[in-house]
Amino acid sequence: VRTRSFDDSGDCQVNVNCPEGADWRMEKDAIARIMVVSDYGSGWCSCSLVNNTNNDNTPYVLTADHCLQNGFGQYLFDAISNPNASQWVFYWGYEHPGCSDGNEPAHRSTVGATVIANNGSSDFALLRLTQDPRNLAGFTPYYLGWDRSGNPGTSGVGIHHPSGDVKKIATLNNPPNNNWAGDTNFWSLYWNETLNGYSVTEGGSSGSPLINNNHHAIGQLYGGSNINCSNPSMDIAAYGKLSVSWTSNGAADSRRRLRDWLDPQGMNPQTLDGIGRLSISGPTTICNQATFTINNLPQGATV
Protein backbone atom coordinates (compact mmCIF):
# COMPACT_ATOMS: atom_id res chain seq x y z
CA VAL A 1 0.00 0.00 0.00
CA ARG A 2 1.25 3.47 -0.89
CA THR A 3 -0.27 6.95 -0.73
CA ARG A 4 1.48 8.33 -3.84
CA SER A 5 -0.38 8.49 -7.15
CA PHE A 6 -0.24 9.84 -10.73
CA ASP A 7 3.22 10.01 -12.33
CA ASP A 8 4.91 8.83 -9.13
CA SER A 9 6.15 5.44 -10.32
CA GLY A 10 9.76 4.85 -11.35
CA ASP A 11 11.09 6.00 -14.70
CA CYS A 12 11.80 2.41 -15.80
CA GLN A 13 8.09 1.54 -15.96
CA VAL A 14 6.40 0.60 -19.27
CA ASN A 15 2.90 1.89 -20.04
CA VAL A 16 0.43 -0.89 -20.71
CA ASN A 17 -0.39 0.46 -24.19
CA CYS A 18 3.22 0.27 -25.35
CA PRO A 19 4.00 -2.52 -27.86
CA GLU A 20 4.81 -4.78 -24.89
CA GLY A 21 1.08 -4.81 -24.11
CA ALA A 22 -0.12 -5.59 -27.64
CA ASP A 23 -0.96 -9.22 -26.83
CA TRP A 24 -2.70 -8.29 -23.58
CA ARG A 25 -5.36 -5.83 -24.76
CA MET A 26 -8.24 -7.79 -23.22
CA GLU A 27 -6.47 -8.71 -19.99
CA LYS A 28 -5.52 -5.12 -19.19
CA ASP A 29 -9.23 -4.29 -18.92
CA ALA A 30 -9.47 -6.61 -15.92
CA ILE A 31 -7.00 -4.58 -13.87
CA ALA A 32 -7.97 -1.76 -11.52
CA ARG A 33 -6.27 0.53 -9.07
CA ILE A 34 -7.75 0.45 -5.57
CA MET A 35 -7.87 3.30 -3.11
CA VAL A 36 -7.92 1.37 0.14
CA VAL A 37 -9.84 3.50 2.64
CA SER A 38 -10.16 2.89 6.36
CA ASP A 39 -10.46 4.89 9.59
CA TYR A 40 -6.65 5.00 9.62
CA GLY A 41 -6.24 6.70 6.22
CA SER A 42 -5.87 5.53 2.64
CA GLY A 43 -3.35 3.97 0.27
CA TRP A 44 -3.07 2.17 -3.06
CA CYS A 45 -3.29 -1.46 -4.12
CA SER A 46 -4.09 -3.19 -7.42
CA CYS A 47 -6.60 -5.91 -8.31
CA SER A 48 -8.09 -7.88 -11.19
CA LEU A 49 -11.57 -9.00 -12.15
CA VAL A 50 -11.67 -12.80 -12.32
CA ASN A 51 -14.04 -15.15 -14.10
CA ASN A 52 -16.00 -17.98 -12.47
CA THR A 53 -17.43 -21.21 -13.86
CA ASN A 54 -20.86 -19.61 -14.32
CA ASN A 55 -19.29 -17.23 -16.87
CA ASP A 56 -21.81 -14.67 -15.62
CA ASN A 57 -19.70 -11.52 -15.09
CA THR A 58 -20.04 -11.66 -11.30
CA PRO A 59 -17.86 -8.70 -10.19
CA TYR A 60 -15.27 -10.62 -8.18
CA VAL A 61 -11.84 -9.03 -7.86
CA LEU A 62 -8.67 -10.73 -6.69
CA THR A 63 -6.18 -8.73 -4.64
CA ALA A 64 -3.72 -9.23 -1.77
CA ASP A 65 -4.64 -10.17 1.78
CA HIS A 66 -2.15 -7.66 3.16
CA CYS A 67 -4.16 -4.87 1.48
CA LEU A 68 -6.76 -5.59 4.18
CA GLN A 69 -4.26 -4.84 6.94
CA ASN A 70 -2.65 -1.80 8.46
CA GLY A 71 1.11 -1.34 8.46
CA PHE A 72 1.45 -3.43 11.62
CA GLY A 73 -0.16 -6.60 10.25
CA GLN A 74 -3.49 -6.00 11.99
CA TYR A 75 -6.62 -6.71 9.95
CA LEU A 76 -8.84 -3.73 9.24
CA PHE A 77 -11.01 -5.87 6.94
CA ASP A 78 -11.65 -9.62 6.91
CA ALA A 79 -14.17 -11.97 5.29
CA ILE A 80 -15.27 -13.27 8.69
CA SER A 81 -14.82 -10.43 11.18
CA ASN A 82 -15.27 -7.26 9.09
CA PRO A 83 -16.12 -7.79 5.40
CA ASN A 84 -17.52 -4.30 4.74
CA ALA A 85 -15.14 -2.33 2.48
CA SER A 86 -17.84 0.16 1.53
CA GLN A 87 -15.46 3.11 1.14
CA TRP A 88 -12.92 1.48 -1.15
CA VAL A 89 -12.68 3.07 -4.60
CA PHE A 90 -11.79 1.09 -7.74
CA TYR A 91 -10.43 2.99 -10.76
CA TRP A 92 -10.97 1.36 -14.17
CA GLY A 93 -9.15 2.01 -17.43
CA TYR A 94 -6.71 4.28 -15.60
CA GLU A 95 -4.00 4.27 -18.27
CA HIS A 96 -2.35 6.35 -20.94
CA PRO A 97 -3.90 5.72 -24.38
CA GLY A 98 -0.48 5.21 -25.98
CA CYS A 99 3.07 4.39 -25.04
CA SER A 100 4.11 7.92 -24.07
CA ASP A 101 3.31 9.65 -20.81
CA GLY A 102 0.91 12.56 -20.87
CA ASN A 103 -1.89 14.18 -18.94
CA GLU A 104 -3.62 12.25 -16.20
CA PRO A 105 -6.32 9.93 -17.61
CA ALA A 106 -9.99 10.35 -16.79
CA HIS A 107 -11.22 8.77 -13.56
CA ARG A 108 -13.82 6.03 -13.99
CA SER A 109 -14.60 4.48 -10.66
CA THR A 110 -16.84 2.18 -8.72
CA VAL A 111 -17.21 2.42 -4.95
CA GLY A 112 -17.53 -0.28 -2.34
CA ALA A 113 -16.90 -3.99 -1.97
CA THR A 114 -17.46 -6.94 0.34
CA VAL A 115 -14.59 -9.19 1.35
CA ILE A 116 -15.78 -12.66 0.30
CA ALA A 117 -12.68 -14.70 1.18
CA ASN A 118 -9.10 -14.09 2.31
CA ASN A 119 -6.15 -16.00 3.70
CA GLY A 120 -2.69 -14.87 4.68
CA SER A 121 -1.03 -18.20 3.85
CA SER A 122 -0.90 -17.27 0.16
CA ASP A 123 -1.80 -13.59 0.67
CA PHE A 124 -5.03 -13.61 -1.34
CA ALA A 125 -8.26 -11.69 -0.89
CA LEU A 126 -11.37 -12.04 -3.04
CA LEU A 127 -13.85 -9.17 -3.03
CA ARG A 128 -17.26 -8.72 -4.61
CA LEU A 129 -17.79 -5.20 -5.91
CA THR A 130 -20.87 -3.27 -4.82
CA GLN A 131 -21.12 -1.35 -8.09
CA ASP A 132 -20.77 -3.23 -11.38
CA PRO A 133 -18.00 -1.87 -13.69
CA ARG A 134 -20.10 -2.95 -16.69
CA ASN A 135 -22.23 0.12 -15.98
CA LEU A 136 -19.35 2.57 -16.47
CA ALA A 137 -19.56 4.74 -19.58
CA GLY A 138 -16.64 4.34 -21.97
CA PHE A 139 -15.26 1.19 -20.37
CA THR A 140 -15.75 -2.51 -21.11
CA PRO A 141 -14.40 -4.83 -18.39
CA TYR A 142 -12.72 -8.18 -18.90
CA TYR A 143 -12.76 -11.08 -16.44
CA LEU A 144 -9.45 -12.91 -16.22
CA GLY A 145 -9.18 -16.61 -16.71
CA TRP A 146 -7.11 -18.58 -14.22
CA ASP A 147 -5.02 -21.69 -13.74
CA ARG A 148 -5.17 -23.50 -10.40
CA SER A 149 -3.06 -26.48 -11.50
CA GLY A 150 0.25 -25.16 -10.18
CA ASN A 151 1.66 -25.04 -13.71
CA PRO A 152 3.67 -21.81 -14.01
CA GLY A 153 3.64 -21.65 -17.79
CA THR A 154 6.69 -20.64 -19.80
CA SER A 155 6.49 -16.84 -19.52
CA GLY A 156 4.01 -14.09 -18.70
CA VAL A 157 3.32 -10.54 -17.58
CA GLY A 158 2.36 -8.52 -14.57
CA ILE A 159 -0.14 -5.69 -15.15
CA HIS A 160 -0.29 -3.31 -12.22
CA HIS A 161 -0.53 0.23 -10.83
CA PRO A 162 2.88 0.94 -9.24
CA SER A 163 2.72 3.66 -6.59
CA GLY A 164 -0.90 4.27 -7.63
CA ASP A 165 0.29 5.46 -11.06
CA VAL A 166 -1.32 4.67 -14.41
CA LYS A 167 -1.37 1.05 -15.56
CA LYS A 168 2.00 -0.52 -16.39
CA ILE A 169 3.14 -3.86 -17.77
CA ALA A 170 6.12 -5.95 -16.65
CA THR A 171 7.43 -8.80 -18.82
CA LEU A 172 8.64 -12.26 -17.83
CA ASN A 173 10.46 -14.32 -20.49
CA ASN A 174 10.87 -17.54 -18.48
CA PRO A 175 8.89 -19.57 -15.92
CA PRO A 176 8.66 -18.14 -12.39
CA ASN A 177 10.46 -19.98 -9.62
CA ASN A 178 8.36 -22.46 -7.66
CA ASN A 179 9.06 -20.86 -4.27
CA TRP A 180 10.00 -17.61 -2.61
CA ALA A 181 12.60 -17.77 0.13
CA GLY A 182 11.78 -21.47 0.50
CA ASP A 183 8.01 -20.92 0.82
CA THR A 184 6.21 -22.95 -1.87
CA ASN A 185 2.96 -21.00 -1.35
CA PHE A 186 4.51 -18.29 -3.55
CA TRP A 187 6.03 -17.79 -6.99
CA SER A 188 9.14 -15.62 -7.28
CA LEU A 189 10.72 -14.06 -10.35
CA TYR A 190 12.99 -11.47 -11.89
CA TRP A 191 11.45 -9.31 -14.62
CA ASN A 192 13.04 -8.82 -18.05
CA GLU A 193 14.05 -5.67 -19.89
CA THR A 194 12.00 -4.82 -22.98
CA LEU A 195 12.10 -2.28 -25.80
CA ASN A 196 10.52 0.55 -23.81
CA GLY A 197 11.86 -0.02 -20.32
CA TYR A 198 12.28 -2.44 -17.46
CA SER A 199 9.00 -2.56 -15.57
CA VAL A 200 9.08 -3.87 -12.01
CA THR A 201 6.52 -3.89 -9.21
CA GLU A 202 6.38 -1.16 -6.59
CA GLY A 203 4.25 -0.33 -3.58
CA GLY A 204 0.72 0.02 -4.96
CA SER A 205 1.22 -2.95 -7.29
CA SER A 206 0.21 -5.29 -4.44
CA GLY A 207 -2.66 -7.58 -5.39
CA SER A 208 -2.08 -7.31 -9.15
CA PRO A 209 -2.14 -10.58 -11.10
CA LEU A 210 0.68 -12.67 -12.51
CA ILE A 211 -0.65 -13.83 -15.90
CA ASN A 212 1.05 -16.72 -17.67
CA ASN A 213 1.62 -17.23 -21.39
CA ASN A 214 -1.77 -18.96 -21.67
CA HIS A 215 -3.41 -15.71 -20.50
CA HIS A 216 -4.44 -17.24 -17.17
CA ALA A 217 -3.88 -15.65 -13.76
CA ILE A 218 -1.72 -17.87 -11.54
CA GLY A 219 -1.33 -15.58 -8.53
CA GLN A 220 -1.47 -12.09 -7.05
CA LEU A 221 1.41 -9.87 -5.94
CA TYR A 222 2.59 -10.18 -2.37
CA GLY A 223 5.68 -7.98 -2.54
CA GLY A 224 9.19 -7.56 -3.82
CA SER A 225 12.72 -6.66 -2.93
CA ASN A 226 12.00 -2.90 -2.96
CA ILE A 227 14.93 -2.28 -5.33
CA ASN A 228 12.45 -1.06 -7.94
CA CYS A 229 13.83 1.14 -10.74
CA SER A 230 17.13 1.82 -9.01
CA ASN A 231 18.43 -1.57 -10.20
CA PRO A 232 15.52 -3.36 -11.90
CA SER A 233 17.50 -6.45 -12.94
CA MET A 234 17.89 -7.29 -9.24
CA ASP A 235 14.25 -6.69 -8.30
CA ILE A 236 12.51 -9.85 -7.05
CA ALA A 237 8.70 -10.11 -7.12
CA ALA A 238 6.76 -12.67 -5.05
CA TYR A 239 3.21 -13.77 -5.92
CA GLY A 240 0.85 -15.88 -3.83
CA LYS A 241 -0.10 -18.97 -5.83
CA LEU A 242 -3.68 -19.31 -7.00
CA SER A 243 -3.16 -23.09 -6.84
CA VAL A 244 -2.62 -22.77 -3.08
CA SER A 245 -5.43 -20.25 -2.56
CA TRP A 246 -7.89 -22.64 -4.25
CA THR A 247 -8.33 -24.65 -1.05
CA SER A 248 -5.77 -22.84 1.16
CA ASN A 249 -4.30 -26.20 2.11
CA GLY A 250 -7.64 -27.63 3.15
CA ALA A 251 -9.22 -24.64 4.90
CA ALA A 252 -12.58 -25.72 6.37
CA ASP A 253 -14.31 -22.33 5.97
CA SER A 254 -15.26 -21.21 2.44
CA ARG A 255 -14.31 -17.67 3.46
CA ARG A 256 -10.68 -18.79 3.60
CA ARG A 257 -10.42 -20.31 0.08
CA LEU A 258 -11.18 -19.48 -3.56
CA ARG A 259 -12.77 -22.73 -4.75
CA ASP A 260 -16.36 -22.08 -3.68
CA TRP A 261 -16.53 -18.67 -5.34
CA LEU A 262 -14.66 -19.23 -8.59
CA ASP A 263 -16.23 -22.65 -9.16
CA PRO A 264 -19.87 -22.29 -8.04
CA GLN A 265 -20.88 -25.09 -10.40
CA GLY A 266 -18.52 -27.57 -8.76
CA MET A 267 -16.95 -28.44 -12.11
CA ASN A 268 -13.48 -28.67 -10.55
CA PRO A 269 -11.58 -27.43 -13.64
CA GLN A 270 -7.83 -26.97 -13.60
CA THR A 271 -8.13 -23.88 -15.81
CA LEU A 272 -10.82 -21.45 -16.90
CA ASP A 273 -10.60 -18.98 -19.78
CA GLY A 274 -11.37 -15.31 -19.38
CA ILE A 275 -14.52 -13.67 -20.66
CA GLY A 276 -15.43 -10.19 -21.88
CA ARG A 277 -18.75 -8.45 -21.88
CA LEU A 278 -21.48 -10.04 -23.97
CA SER A 279 -21.94 -7.84 -27.06
CA ILE A 280 -23.26 -7.94 -30.61
CA SER A 281 -21.35 -6.32 -33.45
CA GLY A 282 -22.33 -5.72 -37.06
CA PRO A 283 -23.49 -3.05 -39.49
CA THR A 284 -25.80 -0.30 -38.29
CA THR A 285 -27.77 -0.18 -41.56
CA ILE A 286 -29.21 -3.24 -43.36
CA CYS A 287 -30.53 -2.98 -46.91
CA ASN A 288 -30.88 -6.70 -47.61
CA GLN A 289 -29.02 -9.06 -45.30
CA ALA A 290 -26.03 -8.85 -43.02
CA THR A 291 -23.98 -10.87 -40.57
CA PHE A 292 -23.72 -9.98 -36.91
CA THR A 293 -21.19 -11.40 -34.47
CA ILE A 294 -21.89 -12.21 -30.84
CA ASN A 295 -18.78 -11.75 -28.71
CA ASN A 296 -18.14 -13.55 -25.41
CA LEU A 297 -21.18 -15.81 -25.58
CA PRO A 298 -21.24 -17.87 -22.34
CA GLN A 299 -20.41 -21.56 -22.64
CA GLY A 300 -23.48 -23.68 -23.34
CA ALA A 301 -25.57 -20.76 -24.59
CA THR A 302 -27.30 -20.95 -27.96
CA VAL A 303 -28.58 -18.30 -30.35
Side-chain angles (χ1 to χ4, degrees), residues 65-88:
D65 179 72
H66 73 265
C67 293
L68 310 180
Q69 305 172 21
N70 62 17
F72 304 100
Q74 298 169 321
Y75 281 94
L76 305 176
F77 304 93
D78 178 77
I80 295 175
S81 63
N82 182 24
N84 183 16
S86 61
Q87 298 182 71
W88 286 26

Side-chain angles (χ1 to χ4, degrees), residues 48 172 207 231 233 254 296:
S48 59
L172 179 66
N231 190 0
S233 67
S254 63
N296 304 309

Side-chain angles (χ1 to χ4, degrees), residues 8 94 266 300:
D8 268 339
Y94 187 68

Side-chain angles (χ1 to χ4, degrees), residues 207-230:
S208 61
L210 176 60
I211 309 171
N212 70 12
N213 57 294
N214 295 316
H215 295 249
H216 293 146
I218 61 172
Q220 72 291 324
L221 183 68
Y222 168 67
S225 55
N226 294 319
I227 295 172
N228 299 328
C229 286
S230 62

